[in-house]
Amino acid sequence: MPSIFHFAFNVTDLDAARHFYGGVLGCREGRSTQTWVDFDFFGHQISLHLGTPFATAPTGVVGQHKVPMPHFGIILLLPEWQTLAERLRQAQTAFVLAPQVRFEGEPGEQWTMFFRDPFGNPIEVKGFRSVEAIYAT
C-alpha cells in the first residue's frame, strides 16, 4: 500500500463542508458522526471536525505573491489540475491566487491556484507535467 497522508482540521458546518468538499471539489465522503466527516481528498484522508478553524495570514512569499500560511493542498498531474481549475471557475470560486503557471521554463515549472474553503481554510492545488518535475532543482 502506498503511504496515505491524513490531515484533520476544523470547520464550523458539516453540511457546508459536504457541499464544498464533496460537491465542488468532487471528493468522496467516508465515515462520519455528528461532529466530524472524512473525505477522500485526491487519494488522501482529510477529517473535518466541528470547531474553530486555524488562524492564517498571508506571510508565505513565493515569487511575487504572498500566500496564506499555513495552508494545505494537493499536487496533480497537469490534465487533472486543469479539470479541477475549470470546475472551480464554474463554481465561481473566489481565488486567493487565480490559476496560473509559475517558474515557467525553469526546473520545477508548475501551475498553481489558491482558494479558501467556506471556513477560511486555505488550499493550494499544484499541477505538474510529470511526477519527476515535482522535485526538480
Side-chain angles (χ1 to χ4, degrees):
M1 177 177 110
S3 298
I4 298 173
F5 188 78
H6 165 79
F7 180 52
F9 57 97
N10 289 328
V11 299
T12 58
D13 182 320
L14 295 181
D15 289 333
R18 285 181 168 102
H19 172 74
F20 181 76
Y21 287 93
V24 175
L25 295 183
C27 299
R28 183 177 56 84
E29 185 174 331
R31 297 182 318 134
S32 66
T33 70
Q34 297 285 331
T35 62
W36 57 266
V37 60
D38 286 344
F39 284 97
D40 176 347
F41 186 74
F42 305 94
H44 301 276
Q45 184 190 49
I46 56 173
S47 296
L48 288 59
H49 292 254
L50 289 175
T52 303
F54 54 85
T56 65
T59 58
V61 178
V62 181
Q64 302 297 316
H65 303 283
K66 283 195 167 190
V67 298
M69 295 295 292
H71 63 265
F72 73 100
I74 192 70
I75 297 172
L76 302 172
L77 290 177
L78 190 53
E80 294 171 281
W81 183 91
Q82 291 167 327
T83 298
L84 182 59
E86 183 56 31
R87 185 178 184 135
L88 290 164
R89 285 185 191 109
Q90 292 296 318
Q92 299 181 334
T93 301
F95 290 99
V96 173
L97 187 61
Q100 60 189 268
V101 65
R102 63 180 169 196
F103 311 122
E104 190 168 11
E106 299 176 35
E109 177 180 272
Q110 60 190 257
W111 286 257
T112 188
M113 59 182 142
F114 271 88
F115 51 91
R116 293 180 183 272
D117 73 6
F119 318 99
N121 295 308
I123 301 169
E124 179 182 18
V125 180
K126 294 181 180 184
F128 286 87
R129 291 189 191 277
S130 70
V131 172
E132 296 76 26
I134 296 170
Y135 297 108
T137 58

